[in-house]
Amino acid sequence: MRAVIQRVSEASVTVESKVVSKIYQGLLILIGIEEDDSEEDVQWLSGKISRLRIFVDSEGIMNKSIQEINGEAIVVSQFTLHASTKKGNRPSYIKAARPETAIPLYESFVKQLEMDLEKKVGTGIFGADMKVSLLNDGPVTIIVDTKNKE
C-alpha cells in the first residue's frame, strides 16, 4: 500500500457536483493498493498514519499526531499512485490491484483508521470520477509505502 498524506486546513471530495466528504484540520490520505497487499499492510499503514507527528505543538514544532489534535481525515482511493513510467510516456498501472482485491482492502483500511482515530473518517467513492479539493497546510506532504518502511 502506498499513501500520500497531506496535512490540510480543509479538504473535500465532490462526485457529480455533490460534496461526499468535507473536513477541516486534519489529513487528506490518497491511498494506492497493490495486488499483493494484505491486512498486515492495512494494520501497519493505519497505525503509522494515526501516530505520525506532523502537526505543530505550542512551540511551533511538528510534534503532534492527528489523534493529539483531534483532527479529521479523508481517505481517497487512487490507483494511479502505482503508475510505472519506466517505458514510454504512457503510465502503466499493472501493479495496481484489481477492484476485487482493492475494494475490500480499501474498506478495511478506512475501518481500521476509524478505530485508530476513534472517529468517523470521510471517503471518496471507489472508482468514481472525483474532484478533490484541499488547502495544504505547511505545505506538508509525506509519502509512506508498506513495501518500503523507512
Side-chain angles (χ1 to χ4, degrees), residues 2-149:
R2 183 171 294 154
V4 174
I5 304 153
Q6 296 178 297
R7 186 178 78 184
V8 297
S9 297
E10 62 183 72
S12 65
V13 179
T14 303
V15 177
E16 296 179 1
S17 301
K18 181 181 178 224
V19 175
V20 295
S21 290
K22 183 171 180 71
I23 64 167
Y24 293 96
Q25 185 180 31
L27 298 175
L28 172 65
I29 304 161
L30 306 175
I31 186 164
I33 299 168
E34 286 187 87
E35 198 60 43
D36 65 345
D37 285 333
S38 68
E39 284 297 322
E40 184 178 310
D41 295 294
V42 166
Q43 302 289 320
W44 185 87
L45 186 59
S46 179
K48 177 60 82 174
I49 290 171
S50 63
R51 293 185 302 270
L52 202 58
R53 294 173 13 180
I54 59 173
F55 292 90
V56 296
D57 62 16
S58 60
E59 308 283 315
I61 296 170
M62 286 195 289
N63 202 27
K64 290 190 171 193
S65 70
I66 187 173
Q67 294 169 310
E68 293 171 298
I69 65 145
N70 197 28
E72 300 176 287
I74 292 179
V75 179
V76 176
S77 177
Q78 189 170 358
F79 75 93
T80 60
L81 291 179
H82 288 293
S84 172
T85 57
K86 188 173 182 178
K87 291 186 192 174
N89 295 315
R90 183 174 182 200
S92 167
Y93 303 106
I94 195 118
K95 284 186 168 183
R98 294 182 303 272
E100 56 270 19
T101 300
I103 292 171
L105 286 173
Y106 169 77
E107 291 172 349
S108 178
F109 177 78
V110 170
K111 286 179 187 167
Q112 183 61 51
L113 190 61
E114 286 177 337
M115 288 191 317
D116 289 344
L117 298 179
E118 299 178 347
K119 65 169 49 184
K120 185 83 174 131
V121 169
T123 63
I125 296 176
F126 193 95
D129 180 28
M130 296 176 271
K131 307 300 180 208
V132 179
S133 177
L134 70 137
L135 182 57
N136 196 318
D137 179 17
V140 174
T141 302
I142 297 183
I143 300 169
V144 178
D145 194 319
T146 61
K147 304 295 186 271
N148 186 18
K149 297 175 181 169

